[in-house]
């Protein structure tokens, strides 16, 4: 029995005793003086009895009891209880127990995304992307071709770099991701992979319209462990493959010339909610197949000690020169991202910066056509650095930055598409032999308007330069009448118009749902 009920009972008992005592006393007094009081009772009335302290206390407690009964929650129906239990069960089925890196990372390069998914139902979270740009090169190439970029391809035209649909699936630890790619990426990304030419079957066509396709299993240990296989993003070079996610449309060379994807197996070990260790075994350096008989291996470590600081490191080793199994490639790609100011509701909303440094080399025995090299004569060294300032509740963004590389031997330099040249064909118009020097640098400025987290309007100016003619000039890189002979081959009486400097403007509409 509760203290309140016991108090009410005691007070009721006391009140009853008091009432009984008063009644008995009144009856005795009336019997003893009946005659004397008979005349008086006819001429005057009894005075009103005052409420006792006990009665007032009892009435107050009765009021409190009525108030408690009025605020008592309504009983929950069995159906409602069952629905709530099912929702909790679904939450466990449709997502891992712990979500690492759950803090807002949208300020970091390569990580901009909508605040919440707009297409989500049960175990599936959908995703739709559209990247529609207009690029203008001040060289005004006659064939409308832009060279030397893995993001920018046509001049003076409205194009679709990528339109993709897909999403993520998760059910009781089994998960998958699929993202398609249609548009320029489906043609230009496969041409940068020479491994597809080894052996039969058209690997470039088999994977042409896929940017991501992997599946795996999630283990609820530590902060989560994912075991995955398929095609997944590499993030070597910091910038994302998808331009919507980035601070700029055209990244500097250390990002544009390093892998966008890997095809293989990876294990993501989230040691805690701020540290990921991710080893890979992959076919090769942005490769659908193997270049030689050894796979590539690598490791990514991502650590966010605070919400405003992210450290990212990628390490890679592989044999990635087609037909030269004795040549080994090593590469390190390391970035630091920091947010220095954050006031989401302010006129000045955010200030952040990033620095990426890449270094690597090739070494080992060669062949008659590809002589042995050492790290002292064939290496890659470069950096890129950017500052990003957001204004008016993060609706406007301004990015400035750039970078530089040196790459003797040109083993990571993108082959210009001269007369249809690809990474496999190469071209004598732009050689990649031992000792061929390549040094380049760039600067750029990007302005973004982001009325919502699902759309970005982007305007960008880029200046790029190299120590040798490399970019498409006014005459273009396509022979009159179109490509002729084998891809990349020389033609009598014609040469591509390559220039050492490029200036261009990009206007783009970027959507992510």
């Amino acid at each position: 029995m509760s203290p309140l009920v016991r108090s009410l009972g005691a007070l009721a008992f006391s009140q009853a005793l008091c009432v009984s005592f008063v009644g008995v006393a009144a009856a005795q007094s009336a019997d003893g003086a009946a005659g004397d009081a008979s005349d008086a009772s006819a001429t005057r009335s009894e005075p009103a009895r005052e409420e006792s302290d006990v009665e007032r206390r009892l009435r107050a407690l009765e009021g409190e009891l009525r108030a408690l009964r009025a605020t008592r929650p309504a009983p929950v129906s069995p159906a409602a209880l069952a629905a709530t239990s099912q929702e909790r069960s679904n939450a466990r089925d449709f997502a891992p127990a712990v979500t690492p890196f759950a803090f807002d990372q949208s300020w970091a390069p390569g990580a901009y995304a909508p605040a919440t998914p707009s297409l989500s139902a049960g175990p599936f979270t959908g995703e739709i992307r559209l990247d529609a740009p207009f690029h203008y090169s001040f060289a005004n190439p006659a064939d409308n071709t832009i060279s030397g970029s893995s993001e920018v391809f046509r001049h003076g035209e409205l194009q679709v770099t990528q339109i993709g649909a897909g999403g993520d699936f998760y059910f009781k630890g089994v998960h998958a991701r699929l993202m398609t790619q249609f548009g320029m990426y489906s043609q230009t990304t496969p041409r940068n992979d020479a491994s597809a030419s080894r052996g039969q079957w058209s690997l470039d066509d088999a994977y042409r319209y896929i940017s991501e396709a992997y599946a795996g299993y999630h283990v609820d240990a530590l902060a989560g462990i994912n075991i995955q296989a398929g095609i997944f993003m590499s993030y070597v070079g910091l910038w994302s493959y998808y331009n919507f996610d980035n601070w700029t449309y055209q990244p500097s060379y250390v990002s544009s010339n390093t892998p966008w994807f890997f095809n293989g197996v990876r294990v993501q070990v989230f040691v805690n909610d701020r540290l990921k260790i991710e080893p890979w075994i992959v076919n090769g350096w942005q490769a659908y197949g193997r270049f030689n008989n050894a796979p590539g291996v690598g490791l990514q470590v991502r650590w966010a000690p605070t919400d405003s600081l992210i450290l990212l490191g990628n390490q890679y080793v592989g044999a990635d020169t087609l037909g030269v199994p004795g040549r080994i490639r090593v590469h390190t790609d390391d970035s630091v991202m920091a947010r220095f100011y954050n006031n989401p509701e302010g006129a000045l909303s955010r200030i952040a910066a990033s620095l990426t440094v890449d270094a690597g080399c090739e070494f080992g025995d060669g062949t008659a056509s590809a002589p042995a090299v050492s790290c002292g004569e064939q290496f890659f060294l470069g950096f890129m650095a950017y500052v990003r300032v957001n204004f008016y509740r993060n609706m406007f963004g301004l990015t400035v930055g750039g970078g530089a590389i040196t790459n003797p031997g040109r083993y990571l330099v993108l082959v210009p598409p001269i007369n249809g040249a690809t990474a496999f064909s190469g071209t004598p118009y732009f050689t990649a032999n031992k000792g061929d020097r390549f040094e380049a640098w760039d600067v750029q400025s990007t302005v973004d308007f982001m009325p919502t987290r699902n759309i970005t309007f982007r305007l960008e100016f880029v200046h790029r330069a190299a120590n040798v003619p490399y970019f498409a000039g006014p005459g273009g890189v396509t022979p009159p009448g179109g490509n002729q002979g084998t891809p990349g081959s020389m033609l009598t009486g014609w040469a591509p118009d390559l220039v050492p400097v490029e200036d261009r403007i990009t206007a783009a509409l970027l959507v992510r749902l």
Side-chain angles (χ1 to χ4, degrees):
M1 183 179 295
S2 67
L4 178 59
V5 174
R6 287 197 298 267
S7 299
L8 290 173
L11 286 171
F13 179 72
S14 300
Q15 175 69 9
L17 289 177
C18 292
V19 171
S20 299
F21 177 77
V22 172
V24 170
Q28 290 176 348
S29 176
D31 291 341
D36 295 339
S38 59
D39 294 337
S41 62
T43 58
R44 69 175 182 269
S45 61
E46 289 285 339
R49 183 176 62 85
E50 293 184 0
E51 185 179 44
S52 67
D53 291 340
V54 174
E55 289 174 317
R56 285 195 296 273
R57 180 58 180 161
L58 180 60
R59 184 162 52 81
L61 289 173
E62 288 174 345
E64 292 177 12
L65 181 60
R66 285 193 298 271
L68 287 173
R69 287 174 176 170
T71 59
R72 184 177 59 185
V76 181
S77 68
L81 287 173
T84 303
S85 177
Q86 184 63 42
E87 289 176 359
R88 292 174 179 171
S89 177
N90 289 343
R92 290 191 298 268
D93 291 344
F94 300 158
V98 178
T99 302
F101 298 98
F103 64 94
D104 180 17
Q105 301 180 74
S106 64
W107 61 268
Y112 186 64
T116 56
S118 54
L119 306 172
S120 183
F124 176 66
T125 301
E127 188 172 319
I128 296 175
R129 291 178 177 267
L130 173 68
D131 178 348
F134 174 86
H135 307 294
Y136 183 85
S137 170
F138 286 88
N140 194 22
D143 61 350
N144 297 90
T145 301
I146 294 174
S147 64
S149 172
S150 57
E151 301 79 22
V152 178
F153 313 107
R154 302 283 296 182
H155 152 75
E157 300 171 345
L158 292 167
Q159 293 289 343
V160 175
T161 298
Q162 187 224 1
I163 182 169
D168 296 277
F169 300 82
Y170 187 101
F171 185 69
K172 295 184 177 180
V174 179
H175 60 273
R177 176 169 173 79
L178 171 66
M179 180 57 62
T180 60
Q181 62 177 16
F182 298 92
M184 295 301 297
Y185 270 168
S186 67
Q187 300 295 312
T188 55
T189 300
R191 64 85 62 179
N192 290 327
D193 173 21
S195 73
S197 62
R198 184 187 185 200
Q200 298 298 311
W201 320 122
S202 299
L203 296 179
D204 52 352
D205 286 344
Y207 295 124
R208 183 176 299 279
Y209 302 106
I210 297 173
S211 61
E212 297 176 81
Y214 62 85
Y217 186 70
H218 176 82
V219 180
D220 279 329
L222 301 175
I225 299 174
N226 296 327
I227 304 168
Q228 301 170 338
I231 297 175
F232 46 86
M233 294 290 98
S234 71
Y235 289 94
V236 172
L238 184 61
W239 256 221
S240 168
Y241 180 64
Y242 307 113
N243 292 307
F244 177 94
D245 305 346
N246 297 328
W247 289 357
T248 66
Y249 199 99
Q250 172 69 65
S252 190
Y253 302 97
V254 297
S255 191
S256 192
N257 292 22
T258 50
W260 290 120
F261 71 87
F262 287 136
N263 190 356
V265 177
R266 67 178 175 180
V267 179
Q268 298 176 315
V269 179
F270 296 95
V271 180
N272 53 49
D273 61 350
R274 292 185 175 269
L275 175 61
K276 179 187 71 171
I277 300 175
E278 179 183 302
W280 331 301
I281 300 177
V282 298
N283 287 337
W285 182 270
Q286 189 169 300
Y288 296 131
R290 290 189 303 172
F291 292 94
N292 297 290
N293 294 331
V297 296
L299 176 72
Q300 181 183 96
V301 177
R302 186 182 183 94
W303 181 39
T306 72
D307 290 2
S308 301
L309 178 64
I310 301 174
L311 305 176
L312 177 66
N314 296 281
Q315 322 305 324
Y316 177 85
V317 179
D320 299 296
T321 301
L322 187 66
V324 188
R327 185 176 294 182
I328 304 301
R329 175 180 302 173
V330 296
H331 197 90
T332 181
D333 170 273
D334 305 290
S335 301
V336 56
M337 297 158 272
R339 184 179 63 189
F340 302 103
Y341 177 83
N342 188 40
N343 180 16
E345 300 300 319
L348 177 61
S349 308
R350 189 162 63 205
I351 302 175
S354 72
L355 172 65
T356 299
V357 177
D358 278 44
C361 71
E362 290 191 336
F363 62 90
D365 298 335
T367 64
S369 60
V373 296
S374 67
C375 281
E377 56 192 358
Q378 187 144 312
F379 61 88
F380 183 96
L381 182 63
F383 80 94
M384 67 180 191
Y386 294 90
V387 175
R388 172 86 165 181
V389 182
N390 283 17
F391 302 94
Y392 191 64
R393 300 180 180 179
N394 292 315
M395 289 181 60
F396 297 90
L398 171 65
T399 303
V400 294
I405 65 165
T406 179
N407 186 202
R410 303 177 180 175
Y411 66 92
L412 291 186
V413 178
L414 298 173
V415 177
I418 301 168
N419 192 25
T422 67
F424 170 65
S425 72
T427 177
Y429 293 109
F430 188 83
T431 59
N433 299 319
K434 175 182 176 179
D436 288 346
R437 292 175 54 245
F438 186 82
E439 298 170 1
W441 62 277
D442 62 359
V443 293
Q444 62 198 114
S445 178
T446 305
V447 176
D448 289 337
F449 172 49
M450 302 160 287
T452 77
R453 291 275 288 270
N454 295 100
I455 189 169
T456 297
F457 298 88
R458 177 163 292 172
L459 183 64
E460 179 171 289
F461 171 77
V462 178
H463 173 81
R464 310 180 92 200
N467 67 313
V468 293
Y470 177 64
F471 309 100
V477 296
T478 306
N483 297 332
Q484 302 175 31
T486 59
S489 61
M490 295 192 71
L491 300 178
T492 302
W494 177 84
D497 184 8
L498 297 178
V499 295
V501 174
E502 178 188 51
D503 293 302
R504 58 176 146 86
I505 292 175
T506 292
L509 171 66
L510 307 169
V511 172
R512 178 178 175 180
L513 296 175

